[in-house]
Amino acid sequence: METRLTEAFQRSAHASVAEPILRACVHCGFCNATCPTYQLLGDELDGPRGRIYQIKQVLEGQPATRIVQQHLDRCLTCRNCETTCPSGVQYGHLVEIGRAVVDSQVRRPWPERLLHAVLREGLTRPAVFGAGVWLGRLLRPLLPSALRDKLPIPRPAGPRPTSTRTSPISRATTSPGDAHAVLLLRGCVQPAMLPSIDAATQRVLHALGIETVEAPGAGCCGAIRHHLNDPDGALGNLRANIDAWWPYLESGRVDTLVINASGCTAMAKEYGHLLRDDPIYAERARRISACTQDITQFLLPHTGALKTRLGAVANRVAVQTPCTLQHAQRLPGVMEQLLGQLGVTCVSVAESHLCCGSAGTYSVLHSSLSQQLRDRKLDHLQRESPDIILSDNIGCIAHLAAGTSLPVWHWIEWLDQALGTNA
């Protein structure tokens, strides 16, 4: 579409990203057909096409308003519209720029500012968040249901491997040229909420003869601060992680960063874009993004080796593919492919492309819309009476588990149990 950005914005670092995205949009509206908020609200301004137009107006000089801010806030950043768009519009990059510009012009009410600050500082600091989770579980019977829903009941983590020397699956059964070790992102929220996911990941990789390394100093991937419009804090997270990981990559000890939370994987794959203008970190960030793989993506070539240990599988599984896996990382169907190669029966799930409503902090900031999307998703996931729901992201798992009596697990936990490596 025709775009005439203000001179002030043209001088900003964001102009080179925003302008070609705006010009690529032909305003066809195909994106609205797969937008979760448009499906619920039916408002053009709560769909990608309408949000793009509102951002365009602000970048062309029209003053931002609180109403525009709310329409942009209601976007889940699921990026389903990118998968649908025939013109290749990179909506995810544009909406983050739009939010930053609008927030610079419109001051949020103080309760919102306070909540954003609590989420930014509380969720991204493992020690603080871990203490909060411990206290929340201690006081669980006294908590309101909205808070109880955010605290999934933990599963036993089990022992973690200390060496790969006695691997249950022979090194000879893995692909030639595989690295002997991979980096793992420990992250900020997952270790406190469901430590069983990291433990299961390490055991499964250990079974393949792959050592796992958690670099001291690496922490939050930066996604929470990034999506809450704290660019400086987010870039601080990115640089700290790169500093922690770089010695391992530079030495050749590892060549892959493996992440078992698809939201964090999607963020790490954006490091190169977000630090593209940093004279010190740009090249390192590009390499980090290039070597990052989701655990699903990483293990897909190893299904043959895993299947020899697995045997027959009785479970009927419903797969919830997170938006960060199928839309942000462009890996649709990879979970079903991997599980299918392991002999798992994956039941049919309608509207598998739509967001479950978790979307990071979205379930806290927009609880009503989030719960509507969760109920819609669970209705489809449970329709074929599966034995278990499997996902690839801690946020989706906790969000869905609060709305169903069915077990909701990370698929790596299920695989770990099926392999018997958690004994």
Side-chain angles (χ1 to χ4, degrees):
M1 70 175 73
E2 184 178 353
T3 304
R4 297 175 182 174
L5 305 180
T6 65
E7 289 186 14
F9 184 75
Q10 286 179 337
R11 291 193 295 270
S12 75
H14 294 311
S16 62
V17 176
E19 187 165 21
I21 297 174
L22 287 169
R23 291 188 180 278
C25 177
V26 297
H27 233 53
C28 65
F30 287 175
C31 52
N32 284 343
T34 56
C35 173
T37 50
Y38 183 80
Q39 295 299 308
L40 288 181
L41 302 173
D43 186 338
E44 174 73 16
L45 298 180
D46 281 312
R49 180 170 65 178
R51 291 188 180 109
I52 289 173
Y53 194 73
Q54 290 172 93
I55 293 169
K56 174 180 179 291
Q57 287 181 313
V58 171
L59 299 186
E60 289 180 337
Q62 182 169 312
T65 66
R66 173 65 175 158
I67 299 298
V68 170
Q69 187 178 58
Q70 290 173 326
H71 284 304
L72 297 186
D73 283 351
R74 281 196 286 267
C75 172
L76 294 118
T77 324
C78 69
R79 298 171 70 171
N80 200 344
C81 53
E82 292 188 17
T83 303
T84 309
C85 180
S87 302
V89 173
Q90 294 180 307
Y91 172 84
H93 291 162
L94 180 65
V95 76
E96 298 296 354
I97 293 171
R99 283 169 170 160
V101 173
V102 170
D103 279 7
S104 71
Q105 297 181 25
V106 180
R107 187 171 174 81
R108 295 180 179 276
W110 73 263
E112 268 187 34
R113 297 199 307 274
L114 177 61
L115 180 55
H116 280 217
V118 169
L119 293 171
R120 277 198 314 269
E121 304 305 325
L123 296 180
T124 61
R125 300 175 188 274
V128 174
F129 182 74
V133 169
W134 176 84
L135 182 62
R137 285 181 173 142
L138 187 68
L139 302 175
R140 189 183 187 94
L142 305 177
L143 295 177
S145 60
L147 284 179
R148 284 200 305 271
D149 285 353
K150 305 301 176 190
L151 292 172
I153 297 173
R155 293 177 278 278
R160 293 175 186 252
T162 56
S163 169
T164 59
R165 292 179 183 175
T166 56
S167 305
I169 295 176
S170 168
R171 180 77 182 130
T173 64
T174 61
S175 302
D178 290 344
H180 67 283
V182 297
L183 279 166
L184 282 186
L185 170 67
R186 188 161 175 78
C188 50
V189 171
Q190 186 167 279
M193 290 182 71
L194 286 175
S196 52
I197 297 175
D198 287 341
T201 302
Q202 291 178 312
R203 285 190 294 264
V204 171
L205 290 172
H206 174 72
L208 289 166
I210 299 172
E211 179 188 357
T212 56
V213 177
E214 292 180 340
C220 179
C221 68
I224 291 173
R225 291 183 180 276
H226 179 63
H227 294 308
L228 289 174
N229 194 28
D230 178 15
D232 292 337
L235 293 180
N237 288 150
L238 270 58
R239 294 183 181 110
N241 286 341
I242 292 171
D243 287 341
W245 293 328
W246 191 250
Y248 296 91
L249 290 166
E250 190 176 34
S251 68
R253 181 181 174 187
V254 301
D255 61 9
T256 307
L257 168 63
V258 176
I259 303 179
N260 57 14
S262 62
C264 299
T265 317
M267 184 64 181
K269 289 182 177 182
E270 291 281 348
Y271 278 23
H273 170 75
L274 294 170
L275 287 168
R276 63 194 180 280
D277 296 323
D278 189 306
I280 298 173
Y281 285 89
E283 183 54 40
R284 295 182 181 187
R286 280 193 290 272
R287 182 171 171 189
I288 293 293
S289 292
C291 78
T292 297
Q293 291 191 37
D294 189 84
I295 184 64
T296 316
Q297 180 184 14
F298 181 78
L299 284 181
L300 186 60
H302 297 282
T303 52
L306 293 168
K307 186 73 166 64
T308 61
R309 172 73 180 269
L310 193 61
V313 179
N315 290 124
R316 296 178 73 253
V317 166
V319 172
Q320 185 269 334
T321 305
C323 299
T324 44
L325 187 64
Q326 62 178 322
H327 304 309
Q329 295 185 59
R330 301 297 177 94
L331 293 171
V334 67
M335 286 180 63
E336 293 91 336
Q337 183 182 356
L338 183 147
L339 291 169
Q341 289 180 8
L342 293 175
V344 179
T345 300
C346 297
V347 303
S348 175
V349 178
E351 293 188 347
S352 60
H353 60 287
L354 284 185
C355 183
C356 72
S358 173
T361 58
Y362 192 93
S363 62
V364 177
L365 298 171
H366 305 279
S367 59
S368 177
L369 288 173
S370 176
Q371 288 180 20
Q372 290 179 64
L373 289 168
R374 182 187 69 189
D375 293 346
R376 181 171 177 161
K377 176 64 71 173
L378 283 171
D379 178 59
H380 292 306
L381 287 168
Q382 296 175 123
R383 191 163 293 177
E384 298 293 327
S385 301
D387 301 310
I388 190 171
I389 297 171
L390 299 182
S391 185
D392 188 54
N393 192 58
I394 177 65
C396 302
I397 292 166
H399 186 56
L400 292 170
T404 179
S405 58
L406 270 180
V408 184
W409 287 22
H410 194 295
W411 70 268
I412 198 74
E413 294 178 280
W414 173 89
L415 178 59
D416 175 51
Q417 185 177 80
L419 288 169
T421 52
N422 58 346

